[in-house]
Amino acid sequence: MTTLRMAAVAAEFGRDLEEDFQIAERLIKEAREEGVRLLALPEACLGGYLLSLDDSTELDEGPPALALDGPEIRRLASLAGEMTVVAGYCEAAGDARYNSVVCVTGDGVLGNHRKVHQPLTEDASYSSGDRFHAFETPVGRMGMMICYDKAFPESARALALDGAEIGVCVSAWPGSRTNAATDLVDDRWKRRFDLFDRARALENQIVWLSANQAGTFGSLRFVGSAKVVDPGGEILADTGVAAGVAVAELDVAQALETARRSMGHLRDRRPETYDIPTGAVSA
């Protein structure tokens, strides 16, 4: 039996890139000391997220835009060393900026994903990605997505059909903007965050890591709730709404085999029946 010790982070990151790197370095160091081989940091952990998702005067210039082949991503890879580390950042690509997530080891970049689904006013700050794909890593075949991407079942299904054994979703998921709960534990957007995590793992029968921002930034109050979910949709570790690190250990290959042995959700698909009539869905 070969087990994988993995961890998902809930932590507060801001606009100061150097401070963010110091936080990331500390979290990577602590994870390494605990024997973690796969670590997921939140969306926008390098440079912070947006101050608001409303049409408001709180809009700023946004996080610093970093090149995928630039010194900052190389610095992250150097910090990762023998570990596999996933982290969110604002990607500069020509004249475009993307809300992106990168997977690195000390050998360099293994994978990169640009957020496809953009909530509310996020499209005013970022261009949209156009694909979901899995890739090989030292800890297994992995797929990544960002925050609102996980509200769309097709996103995780595309990764699973591309052979992903592990799905990693990094987020800057806030509490509800209306009828906000005093205690984030009772927040309806926090409940949705958790439901999406469990459903995406269960329906695709894959291991799922969910990292999220914690604390506050601008007008946003993040729900934390980083977690590791097994292929049966059971939460193995969870930070709750506070900052923290959810750590779990699992034999990934065995867990997938066990989950898919009797009812294989990918195996038992019937794609020929899933045609959607033109015009059946409207905004």
Side-chain angles (χ1 to χ4, degrees):
M1 181 174 70
T2 303
T3 62
L4 172 64
R5 194 164 178 82
M6 63 197 98
V9 169
E12 188 170 352
F13 293 86
R15 195 64 83 231
D16 188 322
L17 187 59
E18 183 58 36
E19 183 178 343
D20 292 337
F21 265 109
Q22 291 173 11
I23 296 169
E25 182 174 8
R26 173 180 58 80
L27 289 166
I28 292 170
K29 179 176 182 291
E30 291 173 354
R32 178 176 289 116
E33 290 172 350
E34 290 194 36
V36 170
R37 293 170 55 208
L38 170 60
L39 179 68
L41 300 171
E43 174 183 5
C45 66
L46 300 181
Y49 188 54
L50 304 176
L51 291 175
S52 174
L53 287 171
D54 297 316
D55 293 317
S56 74
T57 57
E58 281 194 282
L59 295 175
D60 66 348
E61 294 182 355
L66 313 177
L68 181 59
D69 60 354
E72 297 85 3
I73 303 302
R74 288 197 294 272
R75 179 179 179 182
L76 180 69
S78 178
L79 291 175
E82 79 292 350
M83 292 172 58
T84 300
V85 174
V86 174
Y89 71 110
C90 175
E91 179 186 356
D95 294 332
R97 291 158 55 101
Y98 295 93
N99 186 345
S100 295
V101 57
V102 67
C103 177
V104 299
T105 67
D107 292 330
V109 173
L110 302 180
N112 191 66
H113 169 70
R114 295 169 174 173
K115 188 173 183 179
V116 172
H117 302 96
Q118 298 176 311
L120 303 171
T121 61
E122 194 179 275
D123 61 354
S125 300
Y126 300 107
S127 297
S128 176
D130 59 8
R131 65 189 290 253
F132 294 91
H133 67 285
F135 53 93
E136 299 296 335
T137 79
V139 297
R141 191 162 175 82
M142 183 189 301
M144 303 186 296
M145 63 180 64
I146 302 175
C147 204
Y148 192 41
D149 282 339
K150 73 179 175 184
F152 300 84
E154 300 89 344
S155 304
R157 179 52 52 87
L159 295 177
L161 291 175
D162 197 20
E165 302 164 313
I166 301 170
V168 179
C169 186
V170 304
S171 298
W173 192 288
S176 175
R177 299 183 306 147
T178 57
N179 299 319
T182 303
D183 188 340
L184 276 173
V185 170
D186 302 318
D187 188 89
R188 60 195 177 98
W189 281 22
K190 183 256 191 292
R191 290 197 297 272
R192 294 174 186 179
F193 184 84
D194 294 340
L195 282 169
F196 285 137
D197 284 334
R198 300 185 71 176
R200 297 298 87 89
L202 174 59
E203 68 197 3
N204 295 293
Q205 296 173 312
I206 59 175
V207 176
W208 188 263
L209 273 70
S210 176
N212 195 25
Q213 292 265 358
T216 60
F217 189 65
S219 64
L220 302 176
R221 180 177 65 149
F222 301 110
V223 304
S225 303
K227 64 180 71 66
V228 180
V229 188
D230 76 9
E234 300 298 326
I235 297 175
L236 302 179
D238 190 338
T239 65
V241 296
V245 183
V247 181
E249 191 163 337
L250 190 67
D251 184 325
V252 174
Q254 183 181 64
L256 267 61
E257 180 184 356
T258 300
R260 298 173 179 181
R261 182 176 298 147
S262 297
M263 291 188 292
H265 300 163
L266 301 180
R267 180 195 65 220
D268 297 338
R269 293 171 63 248
R270 296 188 60 196
E272 72 278 5
T273 71
Y274 306 148
D275 290 339
I276 300 174
T278 303
V281 179
S282 58

